[in-house]
Amino acid sequence: MGKGVSSWLAACFDRGMAHRSFRSVLGVLPVLALAACASHGDNDSDTAALEASHAQSLATATGGTFRVEMSRELANVRHVEGRMAHASLEGDTARAKALSLFKAQPKLLGLASPSQELRVEREETSESGTHVRFQETVSGVPVRGAEVTVHFGRDGELFSMDARIVPGITLDVTPKLTADEARERATSELFARVPSLTAGDVREGASPELVVFAEPGREARLAWHHVTRAMSQDTAAVLDVTVDALTGE
């Protein structure tokens, strides 16, 4: 058989196989889509059941009516809305009442010891009431981006809560990299990105902050967070850097 004919037959065979394979894939895709939809539906049902369970637990404890929203990402509560009478919360201050809620309803945030894992970051009073913001910590080191804010009305009754908490973090918070070394690495990164800048252009700011960098589904890491700034006659630059406190990455 001539070389041209052999090549032509091979090409026809390959196309035939490709068409059959393509039809097979088309047949599988609807099955996968249905499976994905079923899985998504199951997750929605589970989430709704948890939201209802938390709402019922709060209602039983306080006698109020509540709306609860879960975070699928973190598998804990991200928003609560309702009214809690004074008598249902212990403490004389807004922060004490909020902590008593977390202690009485530990499944809301999934924290083993809210009084140790949360610290008051800010307490503000406005026309609408009092707002207390808590920062999640690990052995006193803040978890970056993890906080909960509790809102009290003008009458002092708690009426809502917003949270992003990463529960179950266990981590040694002793850094191998010093704050000065982290600052140097951040500055070096800035120079690498903006070569026209020099050491004399750097503007001193706040010292690097030791933080826990935690994301759902990934191992938590101890890190230095630093914002380095520089300005020359024709260039201004700001670089927000998170440096691994153990490896320097």
Side-chain angles (χ1 to χ4, degrees):
M1 186 181 295
K3 182 177 180 181
V5 175
S6 298
S7 299
W8 179 80
L9 286 173
C12 288
F13 179 78
D14 289 342
R15 283 197 294 272
M17 290 294 291
H19 286 305
R20 285 195 293 275
S21 298
F22 185 61
R23 287 196 297 270
S24 298
V25 170
L26 288 178
V28 171
L29 283 176
V31 178
L32 292 177
L34 287 172
C37 288
S39 176
H40 184 67
D42 291 343
N43 290 337
D44 286 346
S45 298
D46 292 343
T47 299
L50 283 171
E51 290 172 344
S53 176
H54 284 303
Q56 182 59 51
S57 179
L58 288 168
T60 301
T62 67
T65 301
F66 298 90
R67 182 171 66 87
V68 176
E69 294 179 10
M70 297 285 295
S71 167
R72 289 187 179 86
E73 176 192 30
L74 299 166
N76 56 13
V77 172
R78 70 179 181 186
H79 180 72
V80 174
E81 194 169 323
R83 301 291 295 187
M84 295 187 190
H86 294 283
S88 63
L89 297 173
E90 298 178 358
D92 298 327
T93 64
R95 63 183 67 187
K97 290 179 180 180
L99 284 172
S100 75
L101 167 66
F102 302 147
K103 182 178 179 180
Q105 302 285 332
K107 292 183 180 180
L108 283 179
L109 301 178
L111 296 176
S113 180
S115 60
Q116 295 182 10
E117 296 175 77
L118 295 174
R119 76 178 183 208
V120 176
E121 197 72 8
R122 183 181 303 166
E123 184 171 334
E124 298 176 336
T125 301
S126 67
E127 292 183 359
S128 62
T130 302
H131 317 277
V132 186
R133 182 162 68 89
F134 294 87
Q135 169 70 59
E136 182 182 1
T137 66
V138 177
S139 299
V141 177
V143 180
R144 189 156 163 74
E147 59 186 40
V148 53
T149 304
V150 183
H151 307 277
F152 294 84
R154 286 182 295 179
D155 56 4
E157 291 189 356
L158 186 150
F159 68 90
S160 71
M161 180 190 83
D162 296 287
R164 187 189 184 279
I165 295 296
V166 185
I169 300 175
T170 55
L171 188 69
D172 182 355
V173 295
T174 305
K176 292 183 178 179
L177 205 71
T178 67
D180 287 340
E181 289 171 332
R183 188 200 307 273
E184 290 173 4
R185 287 178 181 266
T187 304
S188 296
E189 179 69 17
L190 179 64
F191 290 158
R193 297 188 182 208
V194 190
S196 62
L197 294 171
T198 66
D201 299 325
V202 176
R203 300 292 185 263
E204 291 297 329
S207 298
E209 179 188 20
L210 190 64
V211 300
V212 173
F213 192 80
E215 294 179 324
R218 299 182 65 180
E219 185 177 356
R221 300 169 73 176
L222 187 67
W224 289 104
H225 173 241
H226 185 56
V227 178
T228 182
R229 296 175 171 82
M231 182 177 292
S232 65
Q233 288 185 338
D234 55 5
T235 304
V238 178
L239 186 63
D240 189 310
V241 181
T242 303
V243 182
D244 190 301
L246 302 182
T247 67
E249 181 183 354

Short mmCIF file of all heavy atoms in Angstrom, two decimals, residues 134-183:
data_model
loop_
_atom_site.label_atom_id
_atom_site.label_comp_id
_atom_site.label_asym_id
_atom_site.label_seq_id
_atom_site.Cartn_x
_atom_site.Cartn_y
_atom_site.Cartn_z
N PHE A 134 -14.59 41.90 67.59
CA PHE A 134 -13.62 40.97 68.16
C PHE A 134 -12.68 40.46 67.08
O PHE A 134 -13.11 40.18 65.95
CB PHE A 134 -14.32 39.76 68.80
CG PHE A 134 -15.18 40.08 70.00
CD1 PHE A 134 -16.50 40.46 69.83
CD2 PHE A 134 -14.66 40.00 71.28
CE1 PHE A 134 -17.30 40.74 70.91
CE2 PHE A 134 -15.46 40.28 72.38
CZ PHE A 134 -16.78 40.65 72.21
N GLN A 135 -11.41 40.31 67.42
CA GLN A 135 -10.41 39.74 66.53
C GLN A 135 -10.10 38.32 66.98
O GLN A 135 -9.84 38.08 68.16
CB GLN A 135 -9.13 40.58 66.58
CG GLN A 135 -7.91 39.97 65.92
CD GLN A 135 -8.03 39.93 64.41
OE1 GLN A 135 -8.20 40.95 63.78
NE2 GLN A 135 -7.95 38.74 63.82
N GLU A 136 -10.13 37.36 66.05
CA GLU A 136 -9.73 36.00 66.40
C GLU A 136 -8.21 35.96 66.58
O GLU A 136 -7.46 36.58 65.81
CB GLU A 136 -10.14 35.01 65.32
CG GLU A 136 -9.79 33.56 65.68
CD GLU A 136 -10.14 32.57 64.59
OE1 GLU A 136 -10.65 32.99 63.52
OE2 GLU A 136 -9.89 31.37 64.80
N THR A 137 -7.75 35.22 67.59
CA THR A 137 -6.31 35.11 67.85
C THR A 137 -5.93 33.66 68.12
O THR A 137 -6.76 32.83 68.48
CB THR A 137 -5.90 35.96 69.07
OG1 THR A 137 -6.52 35.42 70.26
CG2 THR A 137 -6.30 37.42 68.91
N VAL A 138 -4.65 33.38 67.95
CA VAL A 138 -4.06 32.09 68.33
C VAL A 138 -2.92 32.41 69.28
O VAL A 138 -1.92 33.01 68.86
CB VAL A 138 -3.55 31.31 67.11
CG1 VAL A 138 -2.87 30.01 67.56
CG2 VAL A 138 -4.67 31.01 66.14
N SER A 139 -3.06 32.08 70.54
CA SER A 139 -2.07 32.41 71.56
C SER A 139 -1.71 33.90 71.52
O SER A 139 -0.55 34.29 71.64
CB SER A 139 -0.80 31.56 71.38
OG SER A 139 -1.09 30.19 71.50
N GLY A 140 -2.72 34.72 71.30
CA GLY A 140 -2.53 36.16 71.28
C GLY A 140 -2.17 36.76 69.94
O GLY A 140 -2.17 37.98 69.77
N VAL A 141 -1.84 35.93 68.95
CA VAL A 141 -1.47 36.41 67.62
C VAL A 141 -2.73 36.49 66.75
O VAL A 141 -3.47 35.50 66.64
CB VAL A 141 -0.42 35.49 66.96
CG1 VAL A 141 -0.11 35.95 65.54
CG2 VAL A 141 0.83 35.44 67.80
N PRO A 142 -3.02 37.64 66.13
CA PRO A 142 -4.26 37.78 65.35
C PRO A 142 -4.28 36.90 64.11
O PRO A 142 -3.26 36.71 63.44
CB PRO A 142 -4.27 39.26 64.97
CG PRO A 142 -2.83 39.69 65.02
CD PRO A 142 -2.22 38.88 66.12
N VAL A 143 -5.46 36.36 63.81
CA VAL A 143 -5.68 35.61 62.58
C VAL A 143 -6.13 36.62 61.54
O VAL A 143 -7.18 37.24 61.67
CB VAL A 143 -6.75 34.51 62.77
CG1 VAL A 143 -6.95 33.75 61.45
CG2 VAL A 143 -6.34 33.57 63.89
N ARG A 144 -5.32 36.79 60.51
CA ARG A 144 -5.59 37.84 59.53
C ARG A 144 -6.94 37.65 58.84
O ARG A 144 -7.24 36.59 58.28
CB ARG A 144 -4.46 37.85 58.49
CG ARG A 144 -4.51 39.02 57.53
CD ARG A 144 -3.11 39.28 56.98
NE ARG A 144 -3.14 40.09 55.79
CZ ARG A 144 -3.36 41.41 55.78
NH1 ARG A 144 -3.59 42.03 56.91
NH2 ARG A 144 -3.36 42.08 54.66
N GLY A 145 -7.78 38.69 58.91
CA GLY A 145 -9.08 38.66 58.25
C GLY A 145 -10.16 37.91 59.00
O GLY A 145 -11.26 37.75 58.47
N ALA A 146 -9.87 37.44 60.22
CA ALA A 146 -10.85 36.66 60.98
C ALA A 146 -11.37 37.49 62.16
O ALA A 146 -10.62 37.81 63.08
CB ALA A 146 -10.23 35.37 61.49
N GLU A 147 -12.63 37.86 62.11
CA GLU A 147 -13.19 38.69 63.16
C GLU A 147 -14.70 38.50 63.24
O GLU A 147 -15.32 37.91 62.35
CB GLU A 147 -12.87 40.17 62.90
CG GLU A 147 -13.38 40.68 61.58
CD GLU A 147 -12.93 42.11 61.29
OE1 GLU A 147 -11.76 42.44 61.59
OE2 GLU A 147 -13.75 42.88 60.76
N VAL A 148 -15.28 38.99 64.32
CA VAL A 148 -16.73 38.93 64.51
C VAL A 148 -17.18 40.26 65.11
O VAL A 148 -16.53 40.79 66.00
CB VAL A 148 -17.14 37.74 65.41
CG1 VAL A 148 -16.39 37.74 66.73
CG2 VAL A 148 -18.64 37.75 65.66
N THR A 149 -18.25 40.81 64.58
CA THR A 149 -18.80 42.08 65.07
C THR A 149 -20.22 41.84 65.56
O THR A 149 -21.04 41.26 64.84
CB THR A 149 -18.81 43.14 63.96
OG1 THR A 149 -17.49 43.30 63.44
CG2 THR A 149 -19.29 44.48 64.51
N VAL A 150 -20.46 42.29 66.78
CA VAL A 150 -21.77 42.13 67.40
C VAL A 150 -22.42 43.50 67.53
O VAL A 150 -21.77 44.46 67.99
CB VAL A 150 -21.66 41.45 68.77
CG1 VAL A 150 -23.04 41.22 69.37
CG2 VAL A 150 -20.92 40.12 68.64
N HIS A 151 -23.67 43.60 67.13
CA HIS A 151 -24.37 44.88 67.14
C HIS A 151 -25.50 44.87 68.17
O HIS A 151 -26.33 43.95 68.18
CB HIS A 151 -24.97 45.17 65.75
CG HIS A 151 -23.98 45.06 64.64
ND1 HIS A 151 -23.13 46.09 64.28
CD2 HIS A 151 -23.70 44.03 63.79
CE1 HIS A 151 -22.37 45.71 63.27
NE2 HIS A 151 -22.70 44.46 62.96
N PHE A 152 -25.51 45.88 69.03
CA PHE A 152 -26.56 46.04 70.02
C PHE A 152 -27.37 47.30 69.68
O PHE A 152 -26.80 48.32 69.28
CB PHE A 152 -25.97 46.20 71.43
CG PHE A 152 -25.27 44.97 71.94
CD1 PHE A 152 -23.95 44.71 71.60
CD2 PHE A 152 -25.93 44.06 72.75
CE1 PHE A 152 -23.30 43.58 72.07
CE2 PHE A 152 -25.29 42.92 73.23
CZ PHE A 152 -23.98 42.68 72.88
N GLY A 153 -28.68 47.23 69.88
CA GLY A 153 -29.53 48.38 69.63
C GLY A 153 -29.39 49.43 70.71
O GLY A 153 -28.69 49.25 71.71
N ARG A 154 -30.07 50.55 70.53
CA ARG A 154 -30.01 51.63 71.50
C ARG A 154 -30.57 51.22 72.86
O ARG A 154 -30.20 51.77 73.89
CB ARG A 154 -30.76 52.85 70.98
CG ARG A 154 -30.01 53.60 69.88
CD ARG A 154 -30.76 54.83 69.43
NE ARG A 154 -32.03 54.49 68.80
CZ ARG A 154 -32.89 55.38 68.33
NH1 ARG A 154 -32.62 56.68 68.44
NH2 ARG A 154 -34.00 55.00 67.74
N ASP A 155 -31.46 50.21 72.83
CA ASP A 155 -32.02 49.71 74.09
C ASP A 155 -31.10 48.71 74.78
O ASP A 155 -31.41 48.20 75.85
CB ASP A 155 -33.39 49.07 73.84
CG ASP A 155 -33.32 47.95 72.80
OD1 ASP A 155 -32.20 47.64 72.33
OD2 ASP A 155 -34.38 47.40 72.44
N GLY A 156 -29.96 48.44 74.14
CA GLY A 156 -29.00 47.51 74.74
C GLY A 156 -29.22 46.06 74.39
O GLY A 156 -28.44 45.19 74.79
N GLU A 157 -30.25 45.76 73.61
CA GLU A 157 -30.50 44.37 73.23
C GLU A 157 -29.72 44.01 71.97
O GLU A 157 -29.68 44.78 71.01
CB GLU A 157 -32.00 44.15 72.99
CG GLU A 157 -32.83 44.22 74.26
CD GLU A 157 -34.26 43.80 74.02
OE1 GLU A 157 -34.62 43.53 72.85
OE2 GLU A 157 -35.04 43.74 75.00
N LEU A 158 -29.11 42.84 71.99
CA LEU A 158 -28.36 42.38 70.82
C LEU A 158 -29.34 42.11 69.68
O LEU A 158 -30.38 41.50 69.88
CB LEU A 158 -27.60 41.10 71.18
CG LEU A 158 -26.65 40.54 70.12
CD1 LEU A 158 -25.49 39.82 70.80
CD2 LEU A 158 -27.34 39.57 69.19
N PHE A 159 -29.00 42.60 68.48
CA PHE A 159 -29.91 42.36 67.36
C PHE A 159 -29.25 41.76 66.13
O PHE A 159 -29.93 41.26 65.24
CB PHE A 159 -30.66 43.64 66.97
CG PHE A 159 -29.81 44.73 66.36
CD1 PHE A 159 -29.61 44.78 64.99
CD2 PHE A 159 -29.21 45.69 67.15
CE1 PHE A 159 -28.84 45.78 64.42
CE2 PHE A 159 -28.44 46.69 66.59
CZ PHE A 159 -28.25 46.74 65.22
N SER A 160 -27.91 41.78 66.03
CA SER A 160 -27.29 41.09 64.90
C SER A 160 -25.81 40.82 65.15
O SER A 160 -25.18 41.43 66.03
CB SER A 160 -27.46 41.89 63.60
OG SER A 160 -26.65 43.05 63.61
N MET A 161 -25.27 39.91 64.33
CA MET A 161 -23.86 39.53 64.43
C MET A 161 -23.36 39.17 63.05
O MET A 161 -24.05 38.51 62.27
CB MET A 161 -23.71 38.33 65.37
CG MET A 161 -22.28 37.85 65.55
SD MET A 161 -22.20 36.27 66.43
CE MET A 161 -22.49 35.11 65.07
N ASP A 162 -22.14 39.62 62.73
CA ASP A 162 -21.49 39.26 61.47
C ASP A 162 -20.13 38.66 61.80
O ASP A 162 -19.39 39.22 62.63
CB ASP A 162 -21.31 40.49 60.58
CG ASP A 162 -22.65 41.09 60.16
OD1 ASP A 162 -23.32 40.47 59.31
OD2 ASP A 162 -23.04 42.14 60.70
N ALA A 163 -19.79 37.54 61.16
CA ALA A 163 -18.56 36.85 61.55
C ALA A 163 -17.85 36.22 60.36
O ALA A 163 -18.48 35.80 59.39
CB ALA A 163 -18.87 35.77 62.58
N ARG A 164 -16.54 36.20 60.46
CA ARG A 164 -15.70 35.36 59.61
C ARG A 164 -14.61 34.79 60.52
O ARG A 164 -13.60 35.45 60.79
CB ARG A 164 -15.06 36.13 58.45
CG ARG A 164 -14.33 35.17 57.49
CD ARG A 164 -13.50 35.87 56.44
NE ARG A 164 -12.91 34.90 55.52
CZ ARG A 164 -11.80 34.19 55.77
NH1 ARG A 164 -11.16 34.35 56.93
NH2 ARG A 164 -11.34 33.33 54.89
N ILE A 165 -14.85 33.60 61.03
CA ILE A 165 -13.96 32.97 61.99
C ILE A 165 -13.45 31.65 61.41
O ILE A 165 -14.22 30.89 60.82
CB ILE A 165 -14.71 32.70 63.31
CG1 ILE A 165 -15.11 34.02 63.98
CG2 ILE A 165 -13.86 31.87 64.27
CD1 ILE A 165 -13.95 34.88 64.43
N VAL A 166 -12.15 31.40 61.57
CA VAL A 166 -11.54 30.14 61.11
C VAL A 166 -11.28 29.28 62.35
O VAL A 166 -10.31 29.51 63.08
CB VAL A 166 -10.23 30.38 60.35
CG1 VAL A 166 -9.70 29.08 59.77
CG2 VAL A 166 -10.43 31.42 59.25
N PRO A 167 -12.15 28.31 62.63
CA PRO A 167 -12.00 27.53 63.87
C PRO A 167 -10.95 26.44 63.76
O PRO A 167 -10.53 26.06 62.67
CB PRO A 167 -13.40 26.93 64.06
CG PRO A 167 -13.91 26.77 62.65
CD PRO A 167 -13.34 27.93 61.87
N GLY A 168 -10.54 25.93 64.93
CA GLY A 168 -9.68 24.74 64.98
C GLY A 168 -8.24 24.97 64.60
O GLY A 168 -7.55 24.02 64.19
N ILE A 169 -7.72 26.19 64.73
CA ILE A 169 -6.32 26.45 64.37
C ILE A 169 -5.40 26.06 65.53
O ILE A 169 -5.57 26.49 66.66
CB ILE A 169 -6.09 27.94 64.05
CG1 ILE A 169 -6.97 28.38 62.88
CG2 ILE A 169 -4.62 28.21 63.73
CD1 ILE A 169 -6.89 29.85 62.58
N THR A 170 -4.43 25.21 65.25
CA THR A 170 -3.39 24.87 66.22
C THR A 170 -2.05 25.19 65.57
O THR A 170 -1.74 24.67 64.50
CB THR A 170 -3.44 23.38 66.62
OG1 THR A 170 -3.37 22.56 65.44
CG2 THR A 170 -4.73 23.07 67.36
N LEU A 171 -1.26 26.04 66.22
CA LEU A 171 -0.05 26.54 65.57
C LEU A 171 0.94 27.05 66.60
O LEU A 171 0.54 27.71 67.58
CB LEU A 171 -0.43 27.68 64.62
CG LEU A 171 0.63 28.23 63.68
CD1 LEU A 171 0.98 27.19 62.62
CD2 LEU A 171 0.14 29.50 63.02
N ASP A 172 2.21 26.73 66.41
CA ASP A 172 3.26 27.31 67.24
C ASP A 172 3.49 28.73 66.72
O ASP A 172 3.78 28.93 65.55
CB ASP A 172 4.53 26.48 67.09
CG ASP A 172 5.67 27.00 67.97
OD1 ASP A 172 5.51 28.06 68.61
OD2 ASP A 172 6.74 26.35 68.00
N VAL A 173 3.36 29.71 67.60
CA VAL A 173 3.46 31.11 67.17
C VAL A 173 4.83 31.72 67.46
O VAL A 173 4.96 32.93 67.64
CB VAL A 173 2.34 31.96 67.80
CG1 VAL A 173 0.99 31.51 67.31
CG2 VAL A 173 2.40 31.91 69.32
N THR A 174 5.87 30.88 67.49
CA THR A 174 7.24 31.38 67.68
C THR A 174 7.91 31.54 66.32
O THR A 174 8.17 30.55 65.62
CB THR A 174 8.07 30.40 68.53
OG1 THR A 174 7.39 30.16 69.76
CG2 THR A 174 9.45 30.98 68.82
N PRO A 175 8.19 32.77 65.87
CA PRO A 175 8.77 32.97 64.54
C PRO A 175 10.27 32.66 64.51
O PRO A 175 10.97 32.83 65.52
CB PRO A 175 8.51 34.46 64.27
CG PRO A 175 8.53 35.08 65.64
CD PRO A 175 7.93 34.05 66.56
N LYS A 176 10.76 32.21 63.37
CA LYS A 176 12.20 32.04 63.16
C LYS A 176 12.79 33.30 62.51
O LYS A 176 13.95 33.62 62.72
CB LYS A 176 12.47 30.82 62.28
CG LYS A 176 12.13 29.50 62.95
CD LYS A 176 12.49 28.31 62.06
CE LYS A 176 12.18 26.99 62.75
NZ LYS A 176 12.48 25.82 61.90
N LEU A 177 11.97 33.96 61.74
CA LEU A 177 12.38 35.20 61.08
C LEU A 177 12.04 36.37 62.00
O LEU A 177 10.94 36.42 62.56
CB LEU A 177 11.62 35.34 59.76
CG LEU A 177 12.25 36.20 58.65
CD1 LEU A 177 13.45 35.48 58.07
CD2 LEU A 177 11.21 36.45 57.55
N THR A 178 12.98 37.31 62.19
CA THR A 178 12.69 38.47 63.04
C THR A 178 11.88 39.51 62.26
O THR A 178 11.80 39.46 61.03
CB THR A 178 13.98 39.12 63.54
OG1 THR A 178 14.68 39.70 62.42
CG2 THR A 178 14.87 38.10 64.23
N ALA A 179 11.33 40.47 63.00
CA ALA A 179 10.57 41.54 62.36
C ALA A 179 11.46 42.35 61.41
O ALA A 179 11.04 42.74 60.32
CB ALA A 179 9.96 42.44 63.42
N ASP A 180 12.71 42.60 61.82
CA ASP A 180 13.63 43.36 60.97
C ASP A 180 13.95 42.60 59.68
O ASP A 180 14.05 43.20 58.60
CB ASP A 180 14.93 43.67 61.72
CG ASP A 180 14.73 44.74 62.78
OD1 ASP A 180 13.74 45.50 62.68
OD2 ASP A 180 15.56 44.83 63.71
N GLU A 181 14.12 41.28 59.80
CA GLU A 181 14.39 40.48 58.60
C GLU A 181 13.19 40.48 57.66
O GLU A 181 13.35 40.52 56.43
CB GLU A 181 14.74 39.04 59.01
CG GLU A 181 16.11 38.93 59.67
CD GLU A 181 16.36 37.55 60.26
OE1 GLU A 181 15.38 36.88 60.64
OE2 GLU A 181 17.54 37.14 60.36
N ALA A 182 11.99 40.45 58.24
CA ALA A 182 10.79 40.50 57.42
C ALA A 182 10.68 41.84 56.71
O ALA A 182 10.31 41.91 55.53
CB ALA A 182 9.56 40.27 58.30
N ARG A 183 11.04 42.92 57.41
CA ARG A 183 11.01 44.24 56.80
C ARG A 183 11.99 44.31 55.63
O ARG A 183 11.69 44.86 54.57
CB ARG A 183 11.36 45.31 57.83
CG ARG A 183 11.16 46.75 57.33
CD ARG A 183 11.97 47.72 58.18
NE ARG A 183 11.70 47.58 59.58
CZ ARG A 183 10.72 48.21 60.23
NH1 ARG A 183 9.91 49.03 59.57
NH2 ARG A 183 10.54 48.04 61.53
#
